[in-house]
Amino acid sequence: MLTIAEPSRTTPVAHEADICVIGGSCTGVFAAVRAARLGASVAIVELGGFFGGVATAGLVNVWHSLKDIHDERQIIGGLTQETIDRLHRRAAVEFGTSPHAAYFLNTEELKIELDNLITEANVRPFLHARFVTPAVVDGRLDAVIVEDKSGRRAIRAKYFVDATGDGDLIYRIGLPTRFLGDIQPPTACCIIEGLGKIEEANPGFKLNEAVFNPEFPEALKLGFLWAAWVAGSRDMKMVAGTRVANADCSDADQLTAAEMEGRRQIRAMVDILRNHFSRGGEVFLRGVPSYIGIRETRHAKCLHSVAEMELLTGHAFEDTIGCGTYHVDVHHSEKPGLTFRNLDGTEEWVVPGRPPVRGRWRPESDDTPPFYQFPYRSLVPEGGKNVLVAGRLIDCDRGAYGALRVMVNCNQTGEAAGVASVLALAENSTVADVNFARLRQTMRDGGSLL
Ligand SMILES: Cc1cc2nc3c(=O)[nH]c(=O)nc-3n(C[C@H](O)[C@H](O)[C@H](O)COP(=O)(O)OP(=O)(O)OC[C@H]3O[C@@H](n4cnc5c(N)ncnc54)[C@H](O)[C@@H]3O)c2cc1C
């Protein structure tokens, strides 16, 4: 490979904190806020101009159920519940009827609410700031170097949380990461106006069949599409229908290509609606994401890798830091559609326009667990003395990832990483030595339901 030599340089320290979180989705924000509420000084670095990650930059506006599969006992609380309550006070969340699509968020209001959480907790924000390289001293991460409008600056901290989704921090430190094989494809979501009128004018119209209909020259390659009303509107939908197969978005060139291919597919969807269904009604493209929605790239290699069967059988861990019910949901790259596997033993392969293929992943029994659990050790990277991961970086197998990747679960990993960093700070210990019982109790004291 052709290379150039850069001159060596010294870098000014912009800020010193107890804990520094890299990546400002809800996962990262919740990590920072939980740590700050326990008295730590905290900084957060986000490459965009606002917080929220896939929920805001990616336009994905659905949070799943906070209750068990019987829709009775609440199993997720903490900052997820608090944020829903805050959005509710702004008339910025709608409550769904299906347990799998429980909350439709106004993601523009979410951006402002996350600012408020950061400000009220006195977290030092760095926006438009990209983590570029770590500074490791005597085998321990001492600082992160960021590039922002002011140039290249260092943020020193005692503990760090990698909430970048792609594991930029752990990867560049040299901690072990891995891919789980067939990467779940990225999707450029969009907001389309005029869909309510199209539904009225075309009885039986199904968006998730229309865009893949091979009779239309603009048709997308058969994949999967779902859509949700934008909170407060009955004519505008957030549409997740594009799919860029086999794109590894942790690779800069593949990310660039995926962004442009995603937008090309969005244009094709709008053209299908305009050319074949609008019947004089107007269809408008109202929003494209500022960052393509990345389902999956690297995973951290941690002290525990969560197995699909641990989740689906409701295994209880001594270090459980989160609970969930969202089913295993694997978007295929190698074939159309997606596969669901449920706690009750059923499974389904769903492809638009075809009847679902239903079966069971286990025989019928009375042993259906009401929810699943995931452990702290799946956030503790092998060899990472003062670094934790949170969010979709979690160590797990492919099936478990199909469930754990949703935001209500990622949010809990962020809260756990924030609380654990403070406990490690108090004990001057490695993140692996955090006492599980104390972690769980401190999380409960801060509102988590464990
Ligand atoms: C199309 C699509 C639809 C989905 N649908 C749903 C759904 O309906 N409901 C649901 O709950 N989940 C859904 N998911 C899954 C879920 O949204 C993600 O798995 C989850 O948001 C991942 O959270 P995260 O915090 O790990 O990563 P992200 O949300 O990707 O956040 C990572 C953050 O880190 C920042 N960052 C990255 N690198 C750097 C760097 N070097 N320096 C500084 N900052 C950096 C990014 O800007 C971003 O803000 C969907 C995902 C996709 C892609």
Side-chain angles (χ1 to χ4, degrees), residues 22-28 45-48 50-55 57-58 60-64 129-132 163-166 168 172 185-189 226 238 240 291-295 331 390-393 401 404-408 410:
I22 317 297
S25 69
C26 293
T27 311
V45 176
E46 164 54 42
L47 65 81
F50 48 80
F51 298 107
V54 171
V60 175
N61 61 350
V62 173
W63 276 2
H64 298 289
R130 179 184 286 273
F131 156 76
V132 287
T164 60
D166 299 320
D168 287 8
R172 288 181 194 173
T187 290
C189 299
W226 63 272
M238 193 293 294
Y291 208 111
I292 191 170
I294 300 172
R295 284 201 176 76
H331 284 247
R392 65 178 165 84
L393 266 171
Y401 185 62
L404 292 176
R405 66 190 182 86
V406 298
M407 290 181 265
V408 293
C410 289

Side-chain angles (χ1 to χ4, degrees), residues 61-67 71 74 76 80-106 228-234 408:
N61 61 350
V62 173
W63 276 2
H64 298 289
S65 174
L66 309 188
K67 292 193 176 165
D71 208 20
Q74 184 165 356
I76 301 173
T80 302
Q81 180 66 65
E82 186 179 326
T83 302
I84 289 166
D85 294 342
R86 294 168 78 115
L87 290 174
H88 186 46
R89 289 197 288 277
R90 299 280 319 165
V93 59
E94 287 182 8
F95 300 89
T97 46
S98 146
H100 285 308
Y103 303 95
F104 299 95
L105 314 176
N106 177 327
W229 293 114
V230 168
S233 163
R234 281 297 166 269
V408 293

Side-chain angles (χ1 to χ4, degrees), residues 24 26 29-30 33 49-53 55-57 83 86-87 90 92 105-121 127:
C26 293
V29 170
F30 289 4
V33 169
F50 48 80
F51 298 107
T56 53
T83 302
R86 294 168 78 115
L87 290 174
R90 299 280 319 165
L105 314 176
N106 177 327
T107 57
E108 299 306 309
E109 291 271 1
L110 177 62
K111 289 177 187 167
I112 301 170
E113 221 44 62
L114 294 174
D115 285 349
N116 291 344
L117 280 166
I118 289 285
T119 307
E120 289 162 22
L127 290 178

Side-chain angles (χ1 to χ4, degrees), residues 63-370:
W63 276 2
H64 298 289
S65 174
L66 309 188
K67 292 193 176 165
D68 69 12
I69 56 167
H70 308 298
D71 208 20
E72 286 167 1
R73 176 176 158 201
Q74 184 165 356
I75 53 151
I76 301 173
L79 281 166
T80 302
Q81 180 66 65
E82 186 179 326
T83 302
I84 289 166
D85 294 342
R86 294 168 78 115
L87 290 174
H88 186 46
R89 289 197 288 277
R90 299 280 319 165
V93 59
E94 287 182 8
F95 300 89
T97 46
S98 146
H100 285 308
Y103 303 95
F104 299 95
L105 314 176
N106 177 327
T107 57
E108 299 306 309
E109 291 271 1
L110 177 62
K111 289 177 187 167
I112 301 170
E113 221 44 62
L114 294 174
D115 285 349
N116 291 344
L117 280 166
I118 289 285
T119 307
E120 289 162 22
N122 209 17
V123 173
R124 167 72 155 95
F126 289 84
L127 290 178
H128 294 295
R130 179 184 286 273
F131 156 76
V132 287
T133 198
V136 177
V137 177
D138 296 332
R140 193 180 164 94
L141 183 60
D142 181 56
V144 289
I145 313 294
V146 303
E147 297 259 11
D148 61 12
K149 269 291 181 190
S150 298
R152 194 172 166 97
R153 311 197 282 170
I155 300 167
R156 293 188 73 204
K158 300 186 181 90
Y159 292 85
F160 297 84
V161 177
D162 185 339
T164 60
D166 299 320
D168 287 8
L169 174 62
I170 55 165
Y171 180 70
R172 288 181 194 173
I173 295 172
L175 293 174
T177 58
R178 66 190 174 119
F179 286 84
L180 300 182
D182 179 39
I183 300 177
Q184 294 205 42
T187 290
C189 299
C190 62
I191 294 176
I192 298 178
E193 183 181 343
L195 282 166
K197 292 186 195 82
I198 284 190
E199 284 177 11
E200 268 170 39
N202 300 274
F205 168 82
K206 287 201 178 114
L207 181 61
N208 68 351
E209 291 178 10
V211 303
F212 302 116
N213 186 340
E215 288 172 17
F216 304 141
E218 312 87 340
L220 301 193
K221 190 162 172 274
L222 192 56
F224 187 78
L225 177 147
W226 63 272
W229 293 114
V230 168
S233 163
R234 281 297 166 269
D235 199 32
M236 238 191 279
K237 273 187 174 174
M238 193 293 294
V239 180
T242 69
R243 219 178 229 217
V244 187
N246 303 312
D248 169 8
C249 292
S250 67
D251 175 281
D253 295 330
Q254 293 188 50
L255 174 60
T256 299
E259 290 279 14
M260 294 175 73
E261 169 59 16
R263 287 192 286 271
R264 186 199 68 74
Q265 292 184 25
I266 289 174
R267 165 71 60 88
M269 287 196 301
V270 172
D271 284 349
I272 288 169
L273 297 171
R274 282 195 171 159
N275 299 340
H276 308 284
F277 295 97
S278 70
R279 297 195 191 167
E282 301 279 5
V283 173
F284 299 103
L285 178 59
R286 288 298 185 208
V288 293
S290 44
Y291 208 111
I292 191 170
I294 300 172
R295 284 201 176 76
E296 185 173 18
T297 54
R298 300 182 188 103
H299 291 265
K301 227 162 156 280
C302 293
L303 302 185
H304 183 88
S305 179
V306 187
E308 180 178 10
M309 282 306 129
E310 286 176 325
L311 283 196
L312 288 176
T313 56
H315 184 82
F317 300 92
E318 58 173 334
D319 57 336
T320 290
I321 48 81
C323 302
T325 54
Y326 186 71
H327 42 195
V328 169
D329 160 354
V330 176
H331 284 247
H332 304 291
S333 248
E334 79 289 6
K335 62 180 181 184
L338 47 81
T339 297
F340 293 120
R341 244 167 255 131
N342 300 303
L343 284 162
D344 67 3
T346 55
E347 83 178 358
E348 251 184 320
W349 179 36
V350 185
V351 178
R354 296 185 198 164
V357 180
R358 295 204 168 94
R360 300 194 62 84
W361 60 266
R362 68 159 163 81
E364 268 185 81
S365 85
D366 294 333
D367 286 342
T368 294

